[in-house]
Amino acid sequence: MATDTERMIVASSRLLENNKSVFVGTGMPMLAASLAQRLHAPGLLTVYEGGGVGGQPEGRLPIQVSESLTFKNGIIVGSMDYVMSLAQAGYIEYGFLGGAEIDPYGNLNTTVIGSWEKPKVRLPGSGGGADIASLCWRTIILMRQDKRKFTPKLNFLTSPGYLNGPGARERSGLPSDTGPYRVVTQLGIYGFPEETRRLTLLQLYEGITVEDVQANSGFEIEVHPDVYTIPDPTEEELCKIHSLDPDGIVLV
């Protein structure tokens, strides 16, 4: 049986389409994008925050997005401001994000838990997260789910989702038709219907119930009337992700 991490990586990979571009982050997003390139999306263009474009690392998984291995087999060795400008110009379809907290509209916190002045926990901050959330056409949020992470109100809004509902991004000056596309957790996959822009359960993994989803959220999650089960990772998918991460950097 696949682990939670394996399920999340494979489910994220399946969302990526051939001949599209994706802004890749450290860890699970790297594996998801690499898996997509090897199995169903050979024309997927990877963009790394450190400046690499088109890289297909081999031999092992890069430790982080600025490592030189992310340039291997690539087409451009650029800079951080260059790849951010690609998103600003509208050239990047997908962007991976993570967070310590997410609210019902897909807004993310990666800054502080507690007050800004006297935080209980100080987190890494935005990095490129706010840029990716603001400028990529579709963002895929990859994070583990529990009541603390799925919260009705963020301690700090770092990266914008749909803010407070339909039309709010556009009113704030963000590009039209951008925003969170899917949230992938160890329990299921969520979307944001156009009419509400609220987090809505679309798919469940084998053995997970709607009750499990609600029990691991700090707010009531809306449920699509046609929720269906996500197929478990195939042997081919599992073998490939382990070959891409032989050192167990992500697949501990």
Side-chain angles (χ1 to χ4, degrees):
M1 183 176 176
T3 66
D4 288 349
T5 299
E6 290 167 342
R7 280 177 158 183
M8 291 170 69
I9 292 166
V10 170
S12 301
S13 173
R14 292 169 179 170
L15 295 172
L16 300 174
E17 302 167 275
N18 195 29
N19 298 323
K20 300 290 187 180
S21 54
V22 58
F23 215 119
V24 181
T26 299
M28 286 195 284
M30 280 190 186
L31 266 180
S34 293
L35 178 64
Q37 286 177 323
R38 267 68 172 190
L39 293 188
H40 69 268
L44 180 69
L45 183 71
T46 49
V47 180
Y48 292 91
E49 190 174 340
V53 178
Q56 295 192 32
E58 293 178 346
R60 64 173 176 82
L61 191 72
I63 296 172
Q64 44 91 358
V65 291
S66 295
E67 186 182 347
S68 59
L69 188 58
T70 61
F71 301 117
K72 188 174 180 64
N73 301 314
I75 57 174
I76 293 175
V77 177
S79 59
M80 186 177 294
D81 62 336
Y82 172 72
V83 293
M84 289 299 178
S85 74
L86 293 179
Q88 186 179 32
Y91 290 127
I92 303 182
E93 278 101 355
Y94 292 99
F96 274 111
L97 292 168
E101 293 182 321
I102 185 172
D103 73 8
Y105 293 104
N107 304 301
L108 296 171
N109 172 23
T110 56
T111 303
V112 294
I113 302 297
S115 70
W116 171 261
E117 294 79 11
K118 295 183 178 180
K120 296 177 183 177
V121 179
R122 188 169 292 284
L123 301 166
S126 170
D131 301 79
I132 294 167
S134 298
L135 300 171
C136 292
W137 291 103
R138 291 178 167 185
T139 52
I140 298 170
I141 299 164
L142 188 55
M143 61 186 291
R144 297 186 184 276
Q145 178 179 343
D146 60 41
K147 282 191 171 183
R148 290 183 303 169
K149 292 178 179 293
F150 275 49
T151 179
K153 183 176 174 58
L154 301 178
N155 280 269
F156 187 95
L157 197 165
T158 310
S159 301
Y162 290 107
L163 298 175
N164 59 7
R169 285 177 66 89
E170 291 79 5
R171 289 192 294 272
S172 297
L174 295 176
S176 299
D177 301 319
T178 62
Y181 171 57
R182 293 289 185 265
V183 178
V184 179
T185 80
Q186 81 281 13
L187 301 179
I189 296 179
Y190 306 83
F192 298 86
E194 190 173 350
E195 60 272 17
T196 66
R197 292 307 190 192
R198 284 183 63 90
L199 188 81
T200 299
L201 177 66
L202 302 178
Q203 303 175 50
L204 290 166
Y205 297 109
E206 188 73 41
I208 304 297
T209 66
V210 173
E211 289 72 26
D212 294 328
V213 166
Q214 301 292 10
N216 284 275
S217 176
F219 56 88
E220 186 76 14
I221 292 178
E222 297 186 10
V223 179
H224 192 278
D226 297 319
V227 169
Y228 61 94
T229 301
I230 304 166
D232 263 347
T234 65
E235 281 299 316
E236 183 182 23
E237 288 169 326
L238 290 174
C239 287
K240 183 56 70 176
I241 58 173
H242 280 274
S243 72
L244 291 167
D245 184 20
D247 301 323
I249 293 172
V250 175
L251 300 171
V252 179

